[in-house]
């Protein structure tokens, strides 16, 4: 169902946002795997999901903030039923369950996780600092990271905006990054991969 | 009107060209994507013209929307301008509604006069004066090129059947075939003859020989097709024979200059083998209004 709905949305994205996907074949078809993307807009999630193979998408979970997406019943329904949200607690008290536990279990069950390592949408079309919780997950589970750079979604619906405005979007999928080396080295490789993908995207004149 | 034979023969010739291109692309891998995209373009246009006036209006509205979106995504925009840009997109259905209602006089002034006044008035509301003049100019250029000028293609469909030998569809077919083949002629002439460059800082591959060769070949094409598809007198045909290829060239190089200014080679990756919609439509944005007004001036009572 979810796969079919996402495939049916593809022509809509094509017409409204001219979404072009570079390196679609690099998106994982089987888990455990992690897709790490930059995050500027709610549209990021929809574009990423629609880029996956129709069968693989059943297996995809999106890691997102529990305090935001589970706040209202409508949002909760959309997030859990349609998007496939894997809620994560952003603020954790001492002694509570490890917030990464759900993600760890999903990877162990062979799922593909979409994570936004900046942690929040931030300013439109700018990349924030990458958070290192991702590397902890990778080192524990051995799942490869596929970096994805999204350009343009921050103009369509930036944080705080209510009405989407059509703009052309580009999605660039990078080569998988193997889960070896220490955390700092892994973070550096991920940062470099994002920088390379960003440099390959069309120039953006946006102020 | 559509079933009249020259139009059918015309479309059959285009299909024959495409089939030849497809066969050639088995050996020439370089043109494969380009030929495939031409198939999509020809089938879409053919289906729209078969569907009649409303089919063409809807297809051209979609083309204008895609071209405007591509343009607005390429040029410098400011975050505060988002609501104004949303309004600019709304002008696409508004402008084509005027075509559908056949309000010719209003179509002529809607974008060039009233949108020209409306958009600066809307842009000023966000209060950001830094970059205001550039934003208004950039926006208006895009709206005229992608909405107003392309809209003339659809406006041809409002031609009363008695005013053209094959009706509005014949005039539109003439415009599209001459504009498309002119691009091809200028490219082929430039490649085969070579010689001094015409505008090296804008389009390094374009030569004087390509330009003049293209003008001659397209001029001959206009003289061959115009008596069949248009009611134009010979003096008007001769004017078009010179002006259509020159306008096509002008549309091509102005879009090249815009892309170069913005630091891109292609406007987008929408059409494999061609680049973006703007890369394919650039000549048409200049030839469409020109051809329409020559027809309106010399032959039409309605316009």
């Amino acid at each position: 169902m979810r796969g079919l709905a996402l495939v049916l949305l593809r022509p809509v994205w094509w017409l409204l946002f001219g979404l072009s996907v570079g390196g679609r074949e690099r998106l994982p078809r089987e888990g455990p795997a992690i897709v790490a993307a930059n995050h500027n807009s709610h549209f990021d999630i929809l574009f990423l999901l629609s880029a996956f193979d129709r069968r693989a998408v059943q297996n995809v979970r999106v890691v997102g903030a529990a305090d935001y997406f589970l706040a209202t019943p409508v949002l909760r329904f959309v997030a859990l039923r349609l998007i496939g949200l894997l809620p994560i607690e952003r603020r954790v008290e001492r002694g509570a369950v490890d917030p990464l536990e759900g993600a760890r279990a999903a990877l162990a069950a062979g799922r593909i996780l979409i994570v936004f390592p900046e942690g929040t949408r931030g300013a439109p079309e700018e990349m924030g600092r990458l958070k290192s919780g991702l590397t902890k997950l990778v080192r524990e589970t051995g799942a490869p990271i596929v970096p994805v750079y999204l350009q343009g979604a921050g103009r369509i619906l930036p944080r705080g905006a209510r009405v989407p405005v059509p703009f052309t979007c580009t999605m660039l999928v990078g080569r998988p990054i193997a889960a070896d080396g220490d955390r700092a080295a892994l973070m550096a490789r991920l940062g470099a991969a994002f920088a390379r993908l960003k440099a390959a995207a069309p120039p953006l004149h946006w102020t | 009107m559509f079933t009249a034979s020259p139009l059918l023969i015309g479309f059959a010739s285009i299909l024959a060209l495409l089939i030849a291109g497809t066969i050639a692309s088995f050996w020439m891998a370089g043109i494969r994507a380009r030929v495939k995209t031409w198939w999509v373009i020809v089938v879409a246009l053919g289906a729209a013209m078969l569907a009649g006036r409303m089919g063409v209006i809807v297809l051209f509205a979609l083309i204008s929307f895609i071209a405007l979106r591509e343009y607005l995504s390429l040029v410098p925009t400011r975050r505060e301008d988002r609501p104004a840009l949303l309004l600019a997109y709304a002008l696409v259905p508004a402008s084509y509604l005027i075509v559908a209602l056949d309000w010719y006089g209003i179509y002529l002034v809607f974008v060039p006069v009233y949108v020209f006044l409306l958009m600066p008035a809307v842009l000023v509301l966000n209060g950001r004066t830094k970059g205001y003049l550039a934003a208004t100019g950039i926006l208006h250029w895009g709206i005229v090129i992608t909405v107003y000028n392309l809209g003339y293609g659809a406006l041809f469909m409002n031609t009363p059947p008695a005013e053209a030998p094959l009706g509005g569809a014949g005039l539109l077919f003439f415009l599209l075939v001459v504009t498309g083949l002119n691009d091809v002629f200028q490219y082929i002439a430039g490649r085969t003859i070579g010689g001094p460059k015409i505008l090296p800082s804008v389009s390094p591959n374009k030569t004087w020989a390509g330009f003049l060769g293209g003008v001659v070949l397209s001029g001959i094409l206009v003289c061959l097709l115009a008596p069949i598809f248009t009611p134009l007198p010979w003096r008007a045909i001769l004017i078009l024979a010179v002006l259509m290829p020159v306008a096509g060239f002008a549309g091509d190089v102005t879009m090249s200059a815009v892309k170069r200014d913005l630091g891109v080679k292609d406007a987008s990756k929408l059409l494999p083998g061609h680049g973006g919609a703007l890369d394919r439509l650039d000549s048409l944005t200049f030839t469409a209004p020109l051809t329409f007004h020559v027809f309106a001036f010399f032959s039409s009572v309605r316009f």
Side-chain angles (χ1 to χ4, degrees):
Chain A
M1 251 304 278
R2 200 161 65 105
L4 189 67
L6 289 164
V7 169
L8 289 176
L9 280 173
R10 273 187 200 175
V12 179
W13 300 155
W14 180 84
L15 180 67
L16 286 180
F17 310 119
L19 177 66
S20 75
V21 185
R24 193 194 292 270
E25 69 285 351
R26 291 178 187 155
L27 282 174
R29 282 158 189 272
E30 285 164 4
I34 294 171
V35 172
N38 62 322
H39 196 24
N40 288 122
S41 168
H42 288 317
F43 272 93
D44 292 340
I45 300 171
L46 296 172
F47 290 165
L48 276 164
L49 286 175
S50 72
F52 275 93
D53 183 86
R54 191 166 57 86
R55 285 168 296 274
V57 80
Q58 308 293 350
N59 213 10
V60 175
R61 295 290 177 272
V62 185
V63 179
D67 55 288
Y68 185 95
F69 286 103
L70 304 184
T72 67
V74 176
L75 209 53
R76 192 187 173 93
F77 175 82
V78 171
L80 295 179
R81 293 297 168 87
L82 301 179
I83 302 295
L85 183 83
L86 187 75
I88 189 166
E89 294 294 340
R90 280 199 275 203
R91 292 206 193 98
V92 187
E93 285 126 39
R94 269 178 195 284
V97 189
D98 184 350
L100 292 179
E101 196 45 52
R104 214 174 273 135
L107 284 172
R111 304 253 186 243
I112 301 165
L113 290 192
I114 294 177
V115 299
F116 299 107
E118 291 160 286
T120 178
R121 282 170 291 166
E125 300 304 304
E126 278 173 35
M127 270 197 82
R129 225 167 60 87
L130 303 177
K131 300 220 160 100
S132 62
L134 171 63
T135 51
K136 191 176 172 197
L137 208 56
V138 167
R139 279 168 46 82
E140 286 172 7
T141 60
I145 310 177
V146 178
V148 174
Y149 183 72
L150 275 155
Q151 186 187 71
R155 297 201 285 184
I156 294 172
L157 192 72
R159 187 180 185 175
R162 284 172 179 274
V163 184
V165 176
F167 281 102
T168 307
C169 286
T170 304
M171 182 190 298
L172 294 172
V173 185
R175 287 200 179 75
I177 299 168
D180 47 17
D182 63 8
R183 282 177 76 167
L186 202 56
M187 285 303 283
R189 284 214 298 276
L190 186 60
F194 272 118
R196 263 200 310 279
L197 292 172
K198 189 174 180 176
L204 190 70
H205 305 276
W206 168 256
T207 53
Chain B
M1 264 306 145
F2 184 84
T3 46
S5 59
L7 209 47
L8 220 55
I9 295 168
F11 256 103
S13 323
I14 302 282
L15 287 179
L17 264 179
L18 275 180
I19 291 166
T22 308
I23 293 168
S25 72
F26 287 129
W27 292 278
M28 299 161 72
I31 64 165
R32 211 167 284 163
R34 192 175 267 256
V35 172
K36 221 174 171 179
T37 302
W38 270 121
W39 271 108
V40 176
I41 294 171
V42 169
V43 167
L45 284 168
M49 284 166 89
L50 266 178
R53 195 175 81 95
M54 282 314 287
V56 172
I57 291 174
V58 169
L59 179 67
F60 268 73
L62 287 175
I63 292 171
S64 280
F65 170 77
I66 289 172
L68 180 62
R69 188 201 66 212
E70 203 169 270
Y71 175 80
L72 291 179
S73 303
L74 214 55
V75 297
T77 43
R78 308 175 300 171
R79 191 190 163 147
E80 293 82 352
D81 296 342
R82 286 179 71 258
L85 299 184
L86 195 60
L87 181 65
Y89 287 116
L91 295 174
V92 176
S95 186
Y96 281 92
L97 180 66
I98 293 170
V99 178
L101 293 170
D102 199 8
W103 291 349
Y104 174 60
I106 293 180
Y107 183 81
L108 288 184
V109 293
F110 178 64
V111 169
V113 179
Y114 293 101
V115 171
F116 176 77
L117 297 174
L118 174 71
M119 294 318 291
V122 171
L123 277 169
V124 83
L125 294 179
N126 68 42
R128 187 170 158 189
T129 51
K130 180 119 183 81
Y132 171 75
L133 183 58
T136 55
I138 286 169
L139 189 55
H140 193 61
W141 199 83
I143 294 171
V144 170
I145 285 285
T146 62
V147 183
Y148 183 68
N149 288 4
L150 287 180
Y152 277 102
L155 205 57
F156 269 124
M157 298 303 286
N158 289 351
T159 309
E163 286 198 1
L166 301 165
L171 295 169
L172 178 59
F173 182 83
F174 169 76
L175 166 71
L176 295 175
V177 167
V178 171
T179 306
L181 283 179
N182 176 52
D183 283 353
V184 176
F185 290 154
Q186 302 220 359
Y187 175 79
I188 292 174
R191 274 294 179 88
T192 47
I193 311 175
K197 309 276 183 205
I198 184 162
L199 267 171
S201 61
V202 180
S203 263
N205 294 326
K206 290 203 165 52
T207 63
W208 273 104
F211 169 64
L212 294 173
V215 170
V216 170
L217 288 173
S218 301
I220 294 171
L221 183 72
V222 169
C223 292
L224 288 175
L225 296 184
I228 305 171
F229 291 95
T230 75
L232 293 171
W234 269 106
R235 60 184 192 285
I237 292 176
L238 290 177
I239 289 172
L240 276 188
V242 178
L243 284 189
M244 278 183 86
V246 172
F249 176 81
D252 191 339
V253 290
T254 47
M255 194 59 76
S256 295
V258 169
K259 286 182 284 181
R260 209 156 265 262
D261 191 9
L262 297 169
V264 293
K265 209 182 144 288
D266 290 330
S268 79
K269 291 179 182 166
L270 184 82
L271 305 170
H274 296 254
L278 291 171
D279 300 296
R280 189 65 275 140
L281 295 166
D282 50 7
S283 317
L284 189 63
T285 60
F286 275 52
T287 56
L290 177 99
T291 310
F292 185 89
H293 287 299
V294 167
F295 165 67
F297 184 81
F298 284 98
S299 294
S300 179
V301 180
R302 168 71 183 86
F303 300 123

